């Protein structure tokens, strides 16, 4: 299932140079944006998960982000990167 991103969300995913803070209301698509940005950083920019820092406000949100990144990598041909997610910094 592919989610259609808004213009602001797509911009947040595409602009991967430097740090970014994503702040929005519950249910607005933050996790989708963060997962897309994380996966694009790996598949398109050649970063390893150990070089990416993703911080959320709750353990539940961090777990959801980790699951989405794993699923998206599997779906988009990044299987070899899935096992390296254990070295990634997705936390609270």
């Amino acid at each position: 299932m592919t989610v259609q991103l808004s213009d602001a969300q797509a911009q947040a995913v595409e602009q991967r140079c430097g740090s970014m803070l994503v702040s929005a209301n519950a249910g607005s698509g933050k996790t989708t944006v963060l997962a897309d940005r994380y996966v694009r950083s790996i598949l398109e920019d050649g970063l390893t998960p150990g070089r990416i820092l993703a911080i959320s406000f709750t353990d539940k949100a961090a777990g959801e982000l980790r699951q989405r990144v794993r699923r998206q990598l599997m779906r988009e041909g990044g299987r070899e990167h899935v096992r390296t997610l254990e070295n990634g910094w997705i936390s609270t």
Side-chain angles (χ1 to χ4, degrees):
M1 178 177 110
T2 302
V3 177
Q4 184 67 32
L5 299 176
S6 70
D7 289 342
Q9 289 171 323
Q11 182 181 0
V13 170
E14 292 302 319
Q15 185 226 319
R16 291 187 303 276
C17 185
S19 301
M20 177 174 285
L21 171 68
V22 177
S23 177
N25 293 329
S28 62
K30 292 181 299 294
T31 305
T32 298
V33 167
L34 291 172
D36 280 1
R37 185 176 160 97
Y38 198 105
V39 170
R40 296 288 135 243
S41 293
I42 293 170
L43 297 179
E44 295 175 9
D45 302 336
L47 294 178
T48 61
R51 296 198 45 150
I52 303 169
L53 174 64
I55 300 174
S56 66
F57 287 105
T58 67
D59 290 335
K60 181 179 177 183
E64 175 67 20
L65 178 57
R66 194 174 294 106
Q67 286 180 336
R68 288 194 194 186
V69 167
R70 182 174 282 115
R71 280 193 308 258
Q72 195 167 338
L73 281 170
M74 295 290 285
R75 201 172 45 243
E76 295 186 24
R79 287 179 179 259
E80 69 276 9
H81 299 289
V82 171
R83 68 176 170 261
T84 65
L85 284 176
E86 298 305 317
N87 299 327
W89 298 93
I90 299 176
S91 188
T92 54

